[in-house]
Amino acid sequence: MPAKVLSGKLLSARIKDELKHEVAQLESKGITPGLAVVIVGNDPASRVYVNSKKKACEEIGIYSEEYALPEDATQMDLVNLITSLNQKKDIDGILVQLPLPKHINEEEVINTINPKKDVDAFHPVNVGKIMIGNYDFLPCTPAGVMELIKESGIEIAGKECVVVGRSNIVGKPQSMLLLHEHGTVTICHSRTKNIKEVCRKADILVAAVGKANFITADMVKPGAVVIDVGINRLEDTKKLVGDVDFDNVAEIAGAITPVPGGVGPMTIAMLMRNTVKAVQL
Ligand code: GUN
């Protein structure tokens, strides 16, 4: 039987609807959540993501401001901007779209964000809080993945969870969130030996590699929940695909997320959730 397709599009719409009601209640008390979105340079993918984030704010009733800096913006320009946003009363959340141009020190930029406005949960204070399990914000993509796994109906406690990829944005925090839910977690990366065998043990497999069709059907245990975090554009057809060979893996998996319409919209819904939460901090 082919896998159940876990629609992030539907689930994110439901979550955004709930948030819309929460924002309306805040509005009746004279409070409007505000998000500042910072983008540097002309990366087309970043532009698409930033536009989606702004659109979601509009849908929900969150006030948003965009700060688009040119490709040659300096470290000082960016640090000064964030410092002023930290102090801005109508801004509850600050999001700096990554990646930043190569001449910018990304770490210093992230460290400048007030942790209480860090709706991406990238600041070391928030990363540390996630590690301990006592956090204000969950990182958006891993939090969205957790919601999708819950949607699959599978219990995480005691399950073999394999995360492929060890980035600070996804792989590492994802592993920690699965651990908090009592999964037995393995992280695979470019130096992992026997990656196929390791993946085949997974009851829950999360792919965050950034390579089209990296996860093939022979790497998936029958009935597994397969979550595809990848967003890759194919060179030839320009088609958007994930890290998972969807058509073949869907024949074997118990549940699977599509690309597009899977994790992507969930990331945005979780950003909206964090922005509403930021008001309370
Ligand atoms: N670039 C890729 N993913 C993300 C994300 O979740 N947040 C930000 N700010 N930049 C990203």
Side-chain angles (χ1 to χ4, degrees), residues 46 49 53 95-99 120 122 140-141 169-170 267:
S46 287
Y49 299 144
K53 290 168 185 179
L95 175 139
V96 180
Q97 187 64 36
L98 303 181
D120 264 324
F122 290 168
C140 303
T141 299
I169 294 184
V170 184
T267 297

Side-chain angles (χ1 to χ4, degrees), residues 91-146:
I91 290 301
D92 301 286
I94 301 169
L95 175 139
V96 180
Q97 187 64 36
L98 303 181
L100 292 169
K102 289 208 171 22
H103 66 279
I104 300 284
N105 177 346
E106 211 161 86
E107 193 178 344
E108 192 201 2
V109 170
I110 290 169
N111 290 358
T112 306
I113 301 172
N114 177 346
K116 294 204 181 309
K117 293 192 176 188
D118 173 34
V119 285
D120 264 324
F122 290 168
H123 190 286
V125 164
N126 288 322
V127 175
K129 285 180 154 207
I130 291 156
M131 193 88 172
I132 296 164
N134 172 24
Y135 42 76
D136 298 317
F137 300 115
L138 286 177
C140 303
T141 299
V145 168
M146 297 306 281

Side-chain angles (χ1 to χ4, degrees), residues 52-67:
S52 305
K53 290 168 185 179
K54 282 166 39 190
K55 183 163 161 269
C57 284
E58 271 174 41
E59 280 170 37
I60 293 169
I62 293 173
Y63 166 70
S64 75
E65 289 177 349
E66 179 184 304
Y67 295 86

Side-chain angles (χ1 to χ4, degrees), residues 1-6 223-224 246-256:
M1 198 174 64
K4 172 180 177 183
V5 176
L6 304 169
F246 183 91
D247 290 345
N248 292 312
V249 171
E251 293 294 324
I252 288 171
I256 187 168

Side-chain angles (χ1 to χ4, degrees), residues 234-239:
L234 295 179
E235 285 266 342
D236 45 359
T237 58
K238 307 288 174 213
K239 198 179 152 207

